[in-house]
Amino acid sequence: MSIPVPVLLTLLVLSACQGHMAALLQTSNFLKESIRLLSVLLETEVSCDKMNVTNIFADNKHDNDMEILCKATTVTWEGGICHSYLKGISVNLLQLIRRKSTVHKAPCPVAAGNTTSLKDFLVNLRRVLQRLVKD
């Protein structure tokens, strides 16, 4: 029993498309879950809201999205002492970087310099993630 070549090619193309779609859905899920965690954190009164963290958004005109996410992974991991959701966000961002970038290896170094409150950092991060979901 032989299968015609056009049928085999069609099956091959469909299986490749499903793998790509599954990867996109996983990426989307990491982004959406991180946005959800950020929203919960921003609605919750935590004692370290005013804690200063490195402001990776101050001069990110030269940074691409993956570099911003890589730096955000570092900042959220360091802020994990404040709230466990930050570690969850950091893990999600780490998974995104591993799936999407061969250049960046998280956690990325973050230069000391400008600082901002943790709350402002989280607002900016949520805005970036929401933009990425729309794209």
Side-chain angles (χ1 to χ4, degrees), residues 33-125:
E33 176 64 11
S34 295
I35 292 168
R36 186 190 70 75
L37 291 173
L38 285 166
S39 295
V40 169
L41 265 175
L42 289 168
E43 292 170 3
T44 306
E45 187 80 23
V46 290
S47 60
C48 54
D49 274 349
K50 293 178 178 51
M51 175 176 84
N52 283 337
V53 296
T54 304
N55 189 0
I56 63 169
F57 303 104
D59 188 30
N60 68 353
K61 290 156 186 58
H62 304 293
D63 295 347
N64 63 28
D65 290 336
M66 283 300 115
E67 190 165 345
I68 290 169
L69 293 180
C70 194
K71 289 178 181 179
T73 301
T74 303
V75 175
T76 54
W77 184 259
E78 290 170 354
I81 58 170
C82 167
H83 201 285
S84 62
Y85 280 9
L86 287 172
K87 289 211 181 201
I89 293 165
S90 181
V91 168
N92 284 345
L93 295 176
L94 181 62
Q95 291 301 320
L96 280 169
I97 292 163
R98 285 183 179 162
R99 290 179 186 276
K100 292 289 198 176
S101 178
T102 56
V103 176
H104 301 293
K105 302 293 181 206
C108 288
V110 178
N114 291 338
T115 60
T116 187
S117 70
L118 178 63
K119 188 167 190 114
D120 288 342
F121 169 81
L122 297 176
V123 167
N124 286 325
L125 180 58

